[in-house]
Amino acid sequence: MTSEQIISLVVILVVLISIFITVFLLNRKTPKPKGCEKLHAECDACKVTTCERNILGKENIRDE
Amino acid sequence: MTIQQIFALAIATILSSNVVLSKPWGICSFLGVSKKKSSALGMGVAVLIVLVLASLVTWLIYNYVLVPFDVKFLDIVVFILVIATLVQLLEMVLKKFFPSLYKVLGIYLPLITTNCAILGVALEATGNNYDLAKTMIYAVSAGLGYMLVIFIFSGIRERIETAPIPKPFKGVAIALIIAGFMAMAFAEGFKGIA
């Protein structure tokens, strides 16, 4: 790998990660519209019950 | 690119080479958000929008940044970052300017960040050296194919809910069997069309 490639690689990644962090923070700061505060998708595709979208975990909690 | 070639690519991508049933990409959301027809349709529309936008942006970045700087090997990392950023951006725009649309599609957007159909389509378009027009046709067709398949699948699952199925087959087990039959039907049934 040439030094030019390494520099380009670092610059591209830094720029993209910075853009992502900025957009992520802006999105978090943007308030949800009225009536959408508690909206979330329910998914039961896998057994990862710690995922906030997994409804299997919530069913287990209700059973207990 | 002739009209026949455009139609052939579109029909093949929607039916016989469907991204979900033949690759298979996007299986997680395909199984997870297909219990109701309404949520399946919402997910399908959200995937279609993000797929088209992501394919456009990734094609531009690949051809105007990665290729000129000779760092094509970064494509997967860059595309993941671009898709994640795009989803956040879209969510923010919907929240701010289109609250009614956010109410319908907003809940599915975070699920799309990890949807490999988006990444797969972007990688295949650049990997096959498609031009921008072909990439857009491929992306729209892939999104329509995803929407069609998840909607049909959700319709079958809604009817299966009330059917007398043996206990071991209930839930995801019968859903996977249905998905297998659908994959065979789409791959073999539409083979000669495109």
Side-chain angles (χ1 to χ4, degrees):
Chain A
M1 200 188 288
T2 63
S3 57
E4 278 180 10
Q5 275 181 313
I6 295 170
I7 293 166
S8 325
L9 185 155
V10 172
V11 170
I12 289 167
L13 286 182
V14 167
V15 168
L16 283 175
I17 292 169
S18 315
I19 293 172
F20 173 72
I21 292 170
T22 312
V23 173
F24 177 77
L25 291 174
L26 284 173
N27 186 27
R28 266 183 65 174
K29 277 187 181 176
T30 311
K32 286 183 180 176
K34 279 182 183 174
C36 300
E37 290 86 359
K38 288 183 179 175
L39 282 180
H40 63 91
E42 290 185 338
C43 177
D44 63 350
C46 69
K47 301 286 181 193
V48 182
T49 51
T50 47
C51 172
E52 63 175 37
R53 298 181 205 292
N54 194 313
I55 53 169
L56 297 173
K58 285 167 197 163
E59 281 168 4
N60 291 341
I61 292 166
R62 268 183 233 134
D63 292 345
E64 283 163 17
Chain B
M1 207 166 145
T2 62
I3 295 288
Q4 283 95 334
Q5 284 174 319
I6 292 170
F7 269 107
L9 177 66
I11 297 294
T13 312
I14 294 171
L15 300 173
S16 56
S17 301
N18 188 287
V19 287
V20 183
L21 299 175
S22 73
K23 303 290 179 187
W25 295 332
I27 282 290
C28 179
S29 57
F30 176 69
L31 290 173
V33 199
S34 57
K35 273 196 161 177
K36 290 179 201 156
K37 274 193 273 190
S38 56
S39 58
L41 198 61
M43 185 71 189
V45 173
V47 166
L48 177 64
I49 294 167
V50 175
L51 196 52
V52 173
L53 285 175
S55 298
L56 174 69
V57 176
T58 51
W59 189 89
L60 291 172
I61 288 180
Y62 184 82
N63 286 287
Y64 292 105
V65 179
L66 299 188
V67 173
F69 288 104
D70 197 21
V71 283
K72 283 192 276 185
F73 55 87
L74 270 182
D75 55 356
I76 294 176
V77 181
V78 168
F79 289 2
I80 289 172
L81 277 168
V82 167
I83 292 164
T85 309
L86 208 61
V87 169
Q88 295 289 331
L89 197 67
L90 195 65
E91 196 178 340
M92 193 169 67
V93 171
L94 288 183
K95 270 189 211 169
K96 191 85 181 164
F97 302 107
F98 308 98
S100 53
L101 202 59
Y102 177 80
K103 207 168 185 175
V104 184
L105 303 179
I107 53 171
Y108 306 110
L109 288 175
L111 293 175
I112 293 173
T113 312
T114 52
N115 192 329
C116 58
I118 316 285
L119 181 65
V121 168
L123 282 172
E124 191 153 293
T126 52
N128 290 338
N129 289 321
Y130 287 172
D131 57 21
L132 187 57
K134 211 171 176 181
T135 303
M136 286 296 96
I137 293 161
Y138 181 54
V140 172
S141 315
L144 287 174
Y146 181 93
M147 199 161 74
L148 174 76
V149 163
I150 197 170
F151 188 67
I152 294 172
F153 189 58
S154 65
I156 298 171
R157 282 189 82 177
E158 272 188 0
R159 298 189 77 172
I160 286 285
E161 279 290 308
T162 53
I165 301 163
K167 208 178 172 185
F169 287 103
K170 279 196 171 172
V172 180
I174 192 74
L176 284 169
I177 293 169
I178 296 164
F181 281 126
M182 278 181 72
M184 284 193 279
F186 271 68
E188 291 302 316
F190 297 115
K191 206 175 183 179
I193 290 179

